[in-house]
Amino acid sequence: MRKTLCLLTAVAALLASCAREVKEPAAPQIIPLPEHLQMLEGSFRITADTPIWVDGPAEFTRTAEFLSERFETVTGKALRFAEEFPQSGAIYFMQADGYPAEGYQLRVESGRILIESTDGAGAFYALQTLLQLLPAGCLSDSRESVDWTVPAVDIEDAPRFPYRGMHLDCCLHFFDVDFLKKYIDVMAFHKVNRFHWHLTEDQGWRLEIKKYPLLTEKGQWRKETVVGSLSSGVYDGQRYGGYYTQEQVRELVQYAAERYVTIIPEIELPGHALAAIACYPELSCGLEDHYETATKWGIFKQVYCPKEETFAFLEDVFDEVIDLFPSELIHIGGDECPKASWKACPHCQALIRREGLKDEFELQSWFIQRMERYINSKGRQIIGWDEILQGGLAPNARVMSWLGEEGGIKAAQQHHEVVMAPYPKYYLDYWQGDPDSEPLAMGGPTLLRTMYEYNPVPEVLDAEQRKYIIGVEGCVWTEYMPTPARVEYMAWPRMCAIAESGWSSAPKDWDGFTRRLETHLGRLDRLDVGYCRNFYDPFIELRKDTEFSKVALLSVDAPDAEIRYTLDGSAPTASSPLYTGPFAINRQQRVTAAAFRDGKQIGNIKYKEF
Ligand code: ACM
Ligand code: ZN
């Protein structure tokens, strides 16, 4: 596909230079990159008189309605559904045999737009692509005068992985349902099809469970929240809480399903359980007099004690969770469970002896396997973070690999399905620019380019083992994201890179990606996504060298840009020295840089000193 685009671009350039009056349409800038795209002659203009024809089940009609609603939002007039088959001039949504799962063909000709797919997801993804063939104004949330002309094109497309996920932690900070709908909309626009909803934590329990009302009456609250980094020792003194009613959950699950997003709920066990234990201390090892919802970020030793009351509680909770969420996969957490309480607990130690377990790691595995049997008995499968490998993987478990790649590799070698969500490569809570000028984050930086270039299928796996990598996920832990605006800032546009790695099998092409992204940022603007705008800003890295010198490396994401810099603190201009490669600076010098295109500064000035 990349080759087709390059070739087309070259042909377009050649034609433009030979005959200036013949203007070839530029190849469309689509994210994620479609598998196969061929430009055709001409274009099709959607007007208020363009009929829609659907030949397929109701979900195809729902997708066609999305198009009609979009047109109405921007133009004030809905597109109409034809009552009789229109011979031409229409937008056709047709179900047809033979397309891969979620795959589609989108053919735009002068006389019609034809969408074909076998499943409803394919038709929905064809629509997302069609929306990217139109001017960005067509994505607006209000009336706008836009030309709804689509270039003629033939696109055949299908995803690389079945699992293309985005996570959101709604415990460390809470986000309302309206924001979650927007989050899901933007995911779906990028053909991301799994929303991993992190609902329980040490710092708050966010899901209404009818049988245990205390979980939300009390467990949603923490008495205050740490200010600044987790070790600042300063607290805000403000009670903080929030939870989702089951009615809201059902509504969101339905909303997501219409957009081909499956919501995977995460109920953490055996660790990250302090909020639940604060409500029901009998679920713990009982080593302390008092349990309280956590007020700072981190890992806590108060975990579920593997006793019958705990399993009865968890089974009740999962009964309600399974009733609420149709997802085949249920996330059971499994990460960061310290073993100190189990070591000191007479019940846990007796259980280890009775079951002939080697240690507390095997007890963790025993705990997970018992929960897996229960969840499997309800017809569902478990997925958990890497640590569910401790003491042996449960027989049917899927692994979400976050501790680098090692866990994912091990699991795939054991023929367990794996979702790659490695930190820090796919952790969207890490800095995306210079920490000196970015808001507080977890670590990093993990730049857009690093995320884009990450290959989610580890080289060490053989062909058979590689089949067990079922997809990718971007993780959004919200320690330092107290507002929807901050979530969007951290997640986008880096999530575009992860979405592309999840969808597209094409070889990595950073330059091509940045060209498409530059257009795509205009779409994110229309979707009102408050993404990070450092695309045009230089990133200055000072690498340690001697006591008296450091080596400066400069880069910028925007394509066709040059970086100009100064070392005396003055603002760079179009005639300042051009950055051509790494250079050394001394203690007195300050690197001040900006990106330029055609002699004009295109982003912000950035600086860094020793
Ligand atoms: C994790 O970041 N603790 C999965
Ligand atoms: Zn115990």
Side-chain angles (χ1 to χ4, degrees):
M1 178 53 240
R2 192 166 59 100
K3 282 206 193 86
T4 317
L5 275 177
C6 292
L7 190 67
L8 285 165
T9 312
V11 170
L14 190 68
L15 286 176
S17 66
C18 298
R20 297 223 165 264
E21 65 278 12
V22 182
K23 202 167 155 242
E24 276 293 307
Q29 310 289 306
I30 298 167
I31 289 182
L33 186 68
E35 193 169 48
H36 174 83
L37 180 153
Q38 190 187 358
M39 298 299 294
L40 306 174
E41 282 278 310
S43 61
F44 182 91
R45 183 149 177 260
I46 304 174
T47 71
D49 296 324
T50 305
I52 292 177
W53 178 257
V54 180
D55 184 357
E59 54 181 322
F60 281 64
T61 306
R62 181 69 196 102
T63 289
E65 281 167 2
F66 282 133
L67 173 61
S68 174
E69 290 161 11
R70 181 100 295 284
F71 192 80
E72 185 174 17
T73 301
V74 178
T75 69
K77 286 202 184 108
L79 294 173
R80 67 189 167 84
F81 286 74
E83 278 163 21
E84 279 176 27
F85 179 75
Q87 291 300 330
S88 68
I91 304 169
Y92 302 84
F93 288 84
M94 314 289 276
Q95 188 183 38
D97 288 338
Y99 288 93
E102 305 181 278
Y104 64 89
Q105 179 169 23
L106 166 63
R107 199 173 162 91
V108 180
E109 298 165 0
S110 307
R112 64 171 187 174
I113 294 178
L114 174 64
I115 286 169
E116 276 193 349
S117 68
T118 302
D119 57 26
F124 182 81
Y125 292 138
L127 173 60
Q128 304 318 306
T129 300
L130 176 62
L131 292 172
Q132 294 200 19
L133 293 172
L134 286 158
C138 298
L139 299 169
S140 179
D141 232 4
S142 54
R143 292 290 159 77
E144 216 169 294
S145 162
V146 196
D147 178 6
W148 287 67
T149 295
V150 195
V153 68
D154 186 17
I155 295 176
E156 274 184 64
D157 202 7
R160 176 184 188 188
F161 294 115
Y163 188 117
R164 305 177 301 279
M166 191 169 177
H167 156 276
L168 185 64
D169 154 28
C170 293
C171 299
L172 305 185
H173 284 100
F174 175 78
F175 303 95
D176 69 21
V177 171
D178 282 346
F179 176 65
L180 298 185
K181 286 182 178 170
K182 183 182 177 197
Y183 196 78
I184 287 167
D185 283 341
V186 183
M187 284 171 52
F189 184 63
H190 293 83
K191 305 185 175 89
V192 173
N193 66 354
R194 298 286 185 274
F195 174 43
H196 171 180
W197 197 5
H198 189 75
L199 285 163
T200 73
E201 257 302 343
D202 300 305
Q203 295 83 358
W205 182 286
R206 306 276 175 237
L207 175 64
E208 179 188 28
I209 298 295
K210 304 270 190 198
K211 194 158 181 184
Y212 299 96
L214 216 52
L215 285 173
T216 42
E217 280 167 22
K218 178 176 174 182
Q220 65 162 307
W221 298 108
R222 57 178 179 254
K223 70 171 196 261
E224 58 188 359
T225 302
V226 69
V227 177
S229 82
L230 61 95
S231 52
S232 74
V234 180
Y235 292 83
D236 67 2
Q238 307 282 316
R239 195 159 98 121
Y240 186 91
Y243 74 96
Y244 306 101
T245 65
Q246 294 203 351
E247 201 182 333
Q248 287 175 314
V249 170
R250 288 186 202 283
E251 184 198 333
L252 194 69
V253 165
Q254 173 65 24
Y255 184 90
E258 285 183 358
R259 289 150 184 83
Y260 297 89
V261 171
T262 301
I263 302 186
I264 298 174
E266 181 180 359
I267 306 296
E268 280 267 21
L269 61 90
H272 289 301
L274 186 47
I277 287 171
C279 301
Y280 301 101
E282 61 274 23
L283 303 174
S284 75
C285 288
L287 304 171
E288 289 154 64
D289 296 336
H290 182 66
Y291 296 90
E292 240 183 61
T293 307
T295 56
K296 67 172 182 176
W297 328 125
I299 301 173
F300 297 85
K301 66 172 194 247
Q302 299 85 354
V303 303
Y304 289 125
C305 180
K307 52 193 171 187
E308 288 312 313
E309 321 172 53
T310 305
F311 289 113
F313 165 82
L314 288 171
E315 288 173 10
D316 289 340
V317 167
F318 279 106
D319 283 347
E320 294 192 29
V321 166
I322 283 167
D323 190 45
L324 284 169
F325 295 94
S327 167
E328 191 207 359
L329 290 186
I330 303 289
H331 205 302
I332 50 81
D335 59 319
E336 300 178 324
C337 176
K339 307 298 186 282
S341 296
W342 292 354
K343 277 198 167 99
C345 169
H347 167 80
C348 288
Q349 290 305 309
L351 181 60
I352 286 175
R353 284 192 297 277
R354 192 189 82 205
E355 294 293 329
L357 305 172
K358 202 166 79 205
D359 55 16
E360 291 73 23
F361 291 103
E362 287 200 355
L363 182 56
Q364 154 119 350
S365 173
W366 185 88
F367 196 128
I368 304 279
Q369 292 196 40
R370 181 157 168 174
M371 289 313 303
E372 179 181 73
R373 282 197 296 279
Y374 188 75
I375 291 169
N376 285 173
S377 78
K378 304 284 166 184
R380 308 298 179 90
Q381 300 295 329
I382 66 164
I383 184 164
W385 301 106
D386 281 315
E387 292 94 322
I388 67 170
L389 283 147
Q390 288 174 3
L393 203 44
N396 305 313
R398 277 73 167 163
V399 172
M400 186 165 278
S401 188
W402 77 280
L403 289 165
E405 294 186 316
E406 213 178 293
I409 291 169
K410 246 193 202 161
Q413 286 168 338
Q414 294 173 33
H415 292 185
H416 285 254
E417 289 183 347
V418 174
V419 174
M420 295 305 286
Y423 109 97
K425 298 277 173 69
Y426 276 7
Y427 264 45
L428 295 153
D429 56 341
Y430 276 59
W431 276 295
Q432 58 200 311
D434 186 351
D436 281 348
S437 55
E438 287 290 317
L440 179 60
M442 270 309 274
T446 304
L447 304 182
L448 174 67
R449 182 167 189 161
T450 311
M451 250 177 220
Y452 175 76
E453 287 181 342
Y454 173 68
N455 167 23
V457 181
E459 297 284 337
V460 299
L461 297 177
D462 66 28
E464 177 61 22
Q465 294 160 347
R466 285 176 192 201
K467 291 185 196 146
Y468 289 90
I469 307 291
I470 59 167
V472 297
E473 183 167 295
C475 293
V476 183
W477 296 99
T478 60
E479 287 95 336
Y480 305 121
M481 301 182 211
T483 61
R486 184 64 66 80
V487 169
E488 290 187 343
Y489 178 85
M490 295 303 289
W492 302 98
R494 286 185 297 177
M495 189 62 209
C496 297
I498 299 177
E500 178 142 313
S501 291
W503 181 272
S504 166
S505 311
K508 298 284 179 192
D509 171 13
W510 168 248
D511 193 54
F513 176 72
T514 57
R515 274 167 215 285
R516 285 180 288 117
L517 186 60
E518 186 160 356
T519 301
H520 194 72
L521 294 178
R523 299 182 189 124
L524 295 183
D525 283 327
R526 298 311 175 115
L527 295 172
D528 193 29
V529 176
Y531 61 89
C532 172
R533 292 168 185 275
N534 69 6
F535 185 75
Y536 297 99
D537 301 345
F539 177 70
I540 307 171
E541 189 191 348
L542 295 185
R543 286 211 195 141
K544 231 175 120 138
D545 188 17
T546 72
E547 189 185 340
F548 305 103
S549 70
K550 286 193 180 187
V551 174
L553 292 93
L554 278 54
S555 59
V556 63
D557 292 340
D560 302 326
E562 53 185 33
I563 301 171
R564 302 213 170 241
Y565 68 95
T566 65
L567 296 177
D568 60 4
S570 64
T573 67
S575 50
S576 298
L578 176 69
Y579 176 75
T580 53
F583 56 86
I585 61 159
N586 67 32
R587 286 177 174 279
Q588 274 221 323
Q589 293 171 317
R590 169 197 262 212
V591 182
T592 309
F596 293 80
R597 200 187 263 160
D598 301 326
K600 287 203 187 73
Q601 188 180 320
I602 55 171
N604 297 302
I605 293 177
K606 293 278 169 177
Y607 72 87
K608 204 151 177 70
E609 53 203 352
F610 219 87

